């Protein structure tokens, strides 16, 4: 079974440029997460989707970050414009929500963003 | 406010030894405590998890010890192997709320 797929794996851009990340979750997983992982830190949740609905976007900097999950499957995370401080790894994860509240999250390999 | 505090930041253990990583939490409403393992260039992967109604959970060489009164939990890796060299994150969550991760421990097992 294929895991969570993310692309690109690496991205280098100049500040003030836009950038987009793409995530394809595990087939059948209705919950999708975007995390930010700074160097030497644990992942921090940016946004969580239940199917097409963003149910927790409280940590998403909405002035420059946006996300969408079309048809409840693939998702894109966009930054416009990027700032130097956005350099980090952006992780996507997915899980199968069964209503028990304890659903293992499967992470993709991440996209390493470098803003120059 | 750091809700999950992890120590040490880095750890070096001889092959065959016991690796111990500690975490402390603040929110007594947390009811799920997972540990994640992350290799370079990979995303974190769930290693083992525990609920606060048990004091210990063992899976192979990995054991979580949980002390509810002290609000602490730890990961023990028995017979540590070079392949265990990775970054380990403790985490906590409440109900369906987001998972709060610690800052991680870089573990290196000497061959």
């Amino acid at each position: 079974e294929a895991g969570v797929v993310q692309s690109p794996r690496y991205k280098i851009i100049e500040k003030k440029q836009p950038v987009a990340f793409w995530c394809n979750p595990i087939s059948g997983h209705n919950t999708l997460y975007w995390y930010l992982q700074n160097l030497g830190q644990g992942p921090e949740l940016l946004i969580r989707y239940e199917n097409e609905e963003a149910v927790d976007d409280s940590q998403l900097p909405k002035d420059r970050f946006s996300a969408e999950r079309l048809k409840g499957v693939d998702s894109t995370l966009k930054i416009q414009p990027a700032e130097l401080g956005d350099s980090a790894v952006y992780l996507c994860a997915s899980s199968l929500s069964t209503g028990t509240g304890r659903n293992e999250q499967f992470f993709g390999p991440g996209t390493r963003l470098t803003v120059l | 406010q750091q809700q999950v505090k992890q120590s040490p930041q880095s750890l070096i253990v001889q092959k065959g030894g016991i690796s111990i990583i500690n975490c402390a939490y603040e929110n007594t409403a947390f009811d799920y405590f997972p540990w994640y393992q992350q290799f370079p260039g990979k995303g974190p992967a769930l290693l083992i998890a525990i609920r606060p109604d048990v004091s210990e959970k063992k899976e192979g060489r990995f054991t979580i010890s949980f002390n509810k009164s002290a609000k602490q939990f730890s990961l023990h890796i028995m017979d540590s192997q070079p392949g265990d060299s990775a970054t380990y994150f403790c985490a906590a969550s409440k109900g369906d709320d987001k998972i709060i991760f610690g800052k991680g421990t870089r573990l290196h097992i000497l061959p």
Side-chain angles (χ1 to χ4, degrees):
Chain A
E1 177 181 312
V4 176
V5 179
Q6 290 187 247
S7 69
R9 291 294 315 278
Y10 305 91
K11 188 73 176 179
I12 300 175
I13 62 172
E14 294 188 346
K15 63 181 181 181
K16 300 185 181 179
Q17 294 300 306
V19 64
F21 314 124
W22 175 80
C23 173
N24 178 242
I26 292 174
S27 177
H29 282 192
N30 54 329
T31 305
L32 184 145
Y33 314 78
W34 282 103
Y35 286 88
L36 166 70
Q37 185 174 26
N38 286 304
L39 187 64
Q41 303 291 316
E44 299 174 39
L45 182 69
L46 289 172
I47 189 168
R48 174 167 67 106
Y49 282 94
E50 294 286 348
N51 299 304
E52 304 90 357
E53 182 182 1
V55 297
D56 184 356
D57 63 355
S58 58
Q59 302 304 309
L60 189 71
K62 299 179 182 64
D63 57 337
R64 297 185 300 108
F65 286 65
S66 64
E68 61 181 5
R69 190 181 184 195
L70 300 176
K71 301 181 180 179
V73 181
D74 294 359
S75 177
T76 57
L77 177 68
K78 299 178 181 178
I79 308 174
Q80 183 172 11
E83 297 179 352
L84 295 176
D86 296 331
S87 295
V89 175
Y90 292 82
L91 294 163
C92 178
S94 69
S95 67
L96 179 63
S97 295
T98 60
T100 64
R102 279 301 157 253
N103 308 304
E104 180 178 353
Q105 295 183 26
F106 294 84
F107 284 82
T111 296
R112 181 176 295 277
L113 173 67
T114 301
V115 182
L116 303 176
Chain B
Q1 180 185 16
Q2 188 179 350
Q3 297 193 53
V4 179
K5 295 182 180 181
Q6 184 172 348
S7 64
Q9 188 173 3
S10 62
L11 180 62
I12 300 175
V13 176
Q14 290 281 352
K15 177 182 176 181
I18 303 174
S19 303
I20 302 174
I21 303 171
N22 301 300
C23 275
Y25 63 96
E26 299 172 0
N27 189 343
T28 55
F30 286 147
D31 59 2
Y32 177 65
F33 301 89
W35 284 89
Y36 285 81
Q37 180 188 55
Q38 186 175 27
F39 293 103
K42 305 290 187 181
L46 180 65
L47 189 63
I48 186 173
I50 196 169
R51 291 180 176 273
D53 52 350
V54 297
S55 60
E56 185 175 283
K57 182 174 182 180
K58 183 177 181 179
E59 290 185 2
R61 297 184 294 108
F62 301 91
T63 300
I64 299 179
S65 296
F66 188 85
N67 186 330
K68 188 175 182 178
S69 61
K71 294 189 289 185
Q72 296 176 346
F73 59 109
S74 60
L75 175 69
H76 295 232
I77 306 175
M78 312 300 288
D79 187 26
S80 299
Q81 300 296 311
D84 297 330
S85 297
T87 299
Y88 292 80
F89 294 96
C90 62
S93 69
K94 175 188 67 171
D96 285 334
D97 287 354
K98 64 183 179 183
I99 295 178
I100 307 296
F101 287 84
K103 291 189 174 184
T105 296
R106 297 186 70 173
L107 174 64
H108 182 64
I109 307 301
L110 297 174

